[in-house]
Amino acid sequence: MKKLYIYLFFVGLILWSCDSVTDLQPQQNLDEAIPVAAINAIKTNYPEATKVRFTTIERNKIFQSDFDVKVERMSAIVNNVGVISEMYKQTGVVNLPDNIKAYLEANYSGAVIINVCQQVNKDGKIEGYKVILKDKDSKNITLIFDATGTLIMNVSDNPNGGPGGMPPPKLYFIDKNELPQVIIDFLVAKHGDYKCIKVGVVLDGATKNYSVVISQDFTTFDYLFDEKGNVLKSSSFGVNAPSGRFEDKPITINDLTSKIKAYLDKEYKGWQFERGIAFIQNGAIQVYNVLITYDKKQYSLQFDKDGNFLKKEQVGVGGNDNKVEVKLIFPKDVPATIVNYLASKHKDYKYIQTAIIIDKTKKTYWITILSNNEVYDYTFDESGKFLSVKEIEMKLPDNKIYDRPLDSKDIPSNAKAYLDGNYRGWVFQRGVIVYAENKILGYVIAIKVANDYYYINFDANANFLSARKG
């Protein structure tokens, strides 16, 4: 694939087959015993397995076993009572379906592929694919595809925009009924009757989150929740997802344009980058929101898509004392009183920054959130009592993008050819043509294959861009 630099590597460990529990100790947790039930599950289901090793995914609960079966390198996810939930065969990018290769080329050009494997059932039939890669910003990303090569789930590390370079997040799948009740309640309240597509537990260092993909009304909704049910990230894709919507994603200092950096260097000499968010419309950045530290104070600044300065706000608590310390915390560590207060004020919101400001005499919670494309800067005292809020209105461009219904007879020939080649027996359900100022911007088409729904996105020339299972 053009511009996709592929480096497939498999760690060459000295592996061995053995019969004792002691020999199967996970080397990264020498004080943790692998449950006998987990070991026996691998031996029973794979009697020809050799070079068996175990690693811990979630301590005392979920494990990954890597082993060889003849010439095949295999792995399985098994729990502490011996239930195998996932089975994989190690493979290479050459064995990926062409539509996955096209998706990677269109969406992750320049990424490094770390690992590729096929998800298989007990009979060896392919059920899907897992691709782990590192993007150009050194962020680890795990992509889950079904057997057709359609994306189901996208899991990346550092959902709050922290530095990359850490190992990929650990991921295993659970049933929707195993979600924390607070997350189930949120989904029911927001979506009512919906179809659950996939639920994953994401372990990123010491942080445990839940990635949830659901479908409703020809649209797929992606959520990332923390353990308390706070929404860390959300997005939608499909026929009824608003084409002109603004999405936000964390950015690093490397994502800032030279014009933005030059402005900051001139106006805030010695500035320090803290956080950044890009507001995106139909794949193009429209607004940059940057949080910096300068002269012991922090500022939120906005720039347009060309890097021109728009506005600034001082945020948090300004300090003139060298002993003032800003300590970042995880959203899951925000006290319940603050979480409840924010929920009462904002139906939907995402955390931009969660921190504690510590000075000589007191601690203050500094919480910055995004709600309805507006940023709110909150402070609370040590007990969680509300102190202040500052609204930072976002200057977003006018929405001049709109949809029109697409009739099946008007599907472009390129799109039909793609659907015929990748979704045998597909049946048209619904579609839209996306326009920008009376010019076609692209197509979104919903189809049905057997009992499954798929939403496929094409550009103005009907070339494939992306697809999601619904």
Side-chain angles (χ1 to χ4, degrees):
M1 294 177 290
K2 295 179 181 179
K3 300 181 181 178
L4 186 62
Y5 304 101
I6 304 170
Y7 295 89
L8 296 175
F9 64 90
F10 300 105
V11 180
L13 298 174
I14 299 175
L15 303 174
W16 66 89
S17 60
C18 49
D19 295 320
S20 70
V21 176
T22 303
D23 289 339
L24 290 171
Q25 290 288 91
Q27 291 197 352
Q28 80 279 28
N29 288 321
L30 296 180
D31 61 337
E32 180 183 7
I34 298 296
V36 175
I39 298 171
N40 288 339
I42 299 300
K43 291 183 177 180
T44 300
N45 286 273
Y46 296 95
E48 296 181 303
T50 59
K51 301 179 181 178
V52 181
R53 292 296 287 265
F54 283 79
T55 53
T56 301
I57 294 181
E58 185 170 358
R59 190 174 176 84
N60 298 322
K61 184 177 180 181
I62 304 292
F63 307 89
Q64 177 174 317
S65 179
D66 296 283
F67 50 90
D68 290 358
V69 176
K70 297 180 180 178
V71 298
E72 301 285 1
R73 294 194 55 133
M74 307 287 293
S75 66
I77 306 300
V78 58
N79 68 11
N80 59 333
V81 296
V83 176
I84 296 177
S85 57
E86 304 163 48
M87 294 170 283
Y88 297 93
K89 180 170 72 173
Q90 298 285 352
T91 181
V93 70
V94 294
N95 295 316
L96 287 173
D98 288 341
N99 55 341
I100 294 183
K101 295 177 183 178
Y103 177 86
L104 295 175
E105 173 65 22
N107 296 276
Y108 294 99
S109 179
V112 176
I113 294 183
I114 298 174
N115 199 2
V116 175
C117 53
Q118 298 171 338
Q119 184 173 2
V120 297
N121 61 19
K122 63 180 181 180
D123 298 319
K125 182 179 178 182
I126 297 174
E127 294 186 332
Y129 302 85
K130 179 164 65 174
V131 179
I132 301 176
L133 54 83
K134 188 181 292 290
D135 70 8
K136 61 183 180 181
D137 296 321
S138 296
K139 179 176 289 187
N140 294 297
I141 299 173
T142 300
L143 304 172
I144 306 297
F145 301 86
D146 73 358
T148 71
T150 303
L151 184 68
I152 300 176
M153 181 177 285
N154 176 329
V155 175
S156 61
D157 62 4
N158 307 304
N160 293 313
M166 298 297 290
K170 297 177 182 179
L171 171 68
Y172 67 90
F173 301 113
I174 60 175
D175 186 82
K176 64 179 181 180
N177 296 323
E178 298 177 72
L179 279 168
Q181 189 62 45
V182 64
I183 296 178
I184 295 174
D185 292 342
F186 172 91
L187 295 173
V188 171
K190 186 171 180 63
H191 296 282
D193 186 19
Y194 64 88
K195 177 183 178 182
C196 187
I197 304 299
K198 200 81 169 177
V199 177
V201 177
V202 185
L203 299 169
D204 198 355
T207 304
K208 183 176 182 179
N209 297 322
Y210 295 87
S211 181
V212 182
V213 181
I214 67 170
S215 180
Q216 182 187 40
D217 195 22
F218 295 109
T219 303
T220 294
F221 298 88
D222 281 276
Y223 289 101
L224 184 67
F225 298 93
D226 67 12
E227 291 183 85
K228 293 183 178 180
N230 297 309
V231 178
L232 304 180
K233 185 169 61 176
S234 66
S235 63
S236 59
F237 181 94
V239 173
N240 290 321
S243 298
R245 70 189 183 280
F246 283 92
E247 296 181 348
D248 59 277
K249 75 168 186 177
I251 56 175
T252 69
I253 190 172
N254 295 327
D255 295 311
L256 300 180
T257 67
S258 57
K259 190 171 185 177
I260 293 176
K261 290 179 181 178
Y263 177 88
L264 294 173
D265 289 339
K266 179 181 178 181
E267 301 294 332
Y268 303 91
K269 188 175 181 179
W271 62 278
Q272 178 181 331
F273 179 86
E274 298 292 345
R275 291 286 188 274
I277 294 178
F279 287 84
I280 301 169
Q281 187 181 51
N282 296 287
I285 293 177
Q286 302 293 332
V287 171
Y288 294 88
N289 192 71
V290 183
L291 187 68
I292 67 167
T293 296
Y294 170 71
D295 192 26
K296 301 176 186 177
K297 300 180 179 67
Q298 292 203 328
Y299 298 90
S300 175
L301 299 100
Q302 290 181 42
F303 301 85
D304 67 16
K305 61 183 179 181
D306 298 316
N308 298 310
F309 170 76
L310 295 176
K311 62 182 298 186
K312 76 168 184 178
E313 297 278 352
Q314 183 180 343
V315 297
V317 177
N320 295 310
D321 194 318
N322 289 331
K323 294 184 179 181
V324 171
E325 176 188 2
V326 178
K327 180 181 178 181
L328 296 179
I329 62 174
F330 290 109
K332 68 181 179 64
D333 297 321
V334 176
T337 51
I338 296 177
V339 173
N340 293 336
Y341 181 90
L342 295 174
S344 70
K345 298 294 183 181
H346 306 276
K347 184 177 181 182
D348 294 319
Y349 66 89
K350 305 175 192 177
Y351 290 107
I352 296 176
Q353 178 168 271
T354 50
I356 299 176
I357 300 173
I358 305 171
D359 65 20
K360 292 184 297 186
T361 60
K362 62 181 180 179
K363 294 180 180 179
T364 304
Y365 284 94
W366 176 17
I367 312 295
T368 308
I369 66 170
L370 174 71
S371 179
N372 293 325
N373 289 334
E374 293 184 356
V375 175
Y376 296 86
D377 191 58
Y378 281 95
T379 58
F380 301 85
D381 68 14
E382 192 169 358
S383 67
K385 181 181 177 181
F386 168 78
L387 295 177
S388 66
V389 62
K390 181 182 291 184
E391 182 178 340
I392 306 172
E393 185 179 357
M394 302 299 296
K395 288 188 176 181
L396 298 171
D398 293 335
N399 186 351
K400 297 180 180 179
I401 297 175
Y402 58 94
D403 299 338
R404 286 180 180 169
L406 171 68
D407 193 274
S408 59
K409 64 180 175 57
D410 296 323
I411 298 176
S413 58
N414 281 0
K416 282 186 178 179
Y418 181 87
L419 296 175
D420 290 339
N422 293 280
Y423 299 95
R424 183 175 299 177
W426 64 277
V427 178
F428 176 81
Q429 300 295 301
R430 191 180 301 177
V432 295
I433 308 173
V434 183
Y435 291 87
E437 297 181 343
N438 296 319
K439 182 180 179 180
I440 292 178
L441 194 64
Y443 303 84
V444 183
I445 300 174
I447 63 172
K448 186 177 183 181
V449 181
N451 294 320
D452 294 320
Y453 290 89
Y454 297 91
Y455 316 127
I456 297 89
N457 187 26
F458 300 92
D459 67 15
N461 297 315
N463 297 311
F464 169 77
L465 291 176
S466 58
R468 292 301 302 265
K469 187 174 184 179

